[in-house]
Amino acid sequence: MLQTLAFAGEADAASEVTRYMGWPGQAISYKLGEQAIVNLRRELESEPLDLKDFHTDILTVGAVGLDVLSEQVRAAQRALAVTSGLPFGPMIAPRTFTTRPFAGLAPATTS
């Protein structure tokens, strides 16, 4: 089917079938995360938004739930707005953190 409808080669089609059968929740998890980030970006774009800072915030927060991610990115954007003097989401603002933007949060650990 992938070969016929998506014009995928035999090796690509076999790889996709293996992927979806071996990790069935991956595709829906990806789309839910993508949609949450798109919605957060739209929310923050109501004021000027530096996409580089937005992407840095997303990646800096690390592997957390989507509600925690949204909360921490909003807080980081507000902190940038305060330091830059712009209403919310500055166009140009220096980053003052190197690893994690929120004091008091322990780095994400894996067990």
Side-chain angles (χ1 to χ4, degrees), residues 9-48:
E10 186 175 346
D12 289 335
S15 174
E16 287 298 300
V17 168
T18 300
R19 175 177 154 225
Y20 287 116
M21 290 184 71
W23 196 2
Q26 187 273 332
I28 191 68
S29 297
Y30 175 89
K31 289 307 282 184
L32 287 172
E34 177 190 35
Q35 192 60 50
I37 291 170
V38 167
N39 289 341
L40 180 61
R41 179 178 165 177
R42 285 184 183 143
E43 173 190 326
L44 296 175
E45 281 181 335
S46 62
E47 298 292 335

Side-chain angles (χ1 to χ4, degrees), residues 4 6-7 11 25 35-36 40 46 49-50 58 64 68 71 73 79 84 87-88 92 94 99 105 107 109-110:
T4 305
F7 304 107
Q35 192 60 50
L40 180 61
S46 62
L49 176 68
D50 183 339
I58 294 284
V64 296
V68 174
E71 181 181 303
V73 169
S84 70
F88 190 71
I92 300 173
T99 54
L105 290 180
T109 59
T110 57

Side-chain angles (χ1 to χ4, degrees), residues 88-102:
F88 190 71
M91 296 304 291
I92 300 173
R95 301 308 255 166
T96 57
F97 59 88
T98 55
T99 54
R100 295 188 65 83
F102 308 100

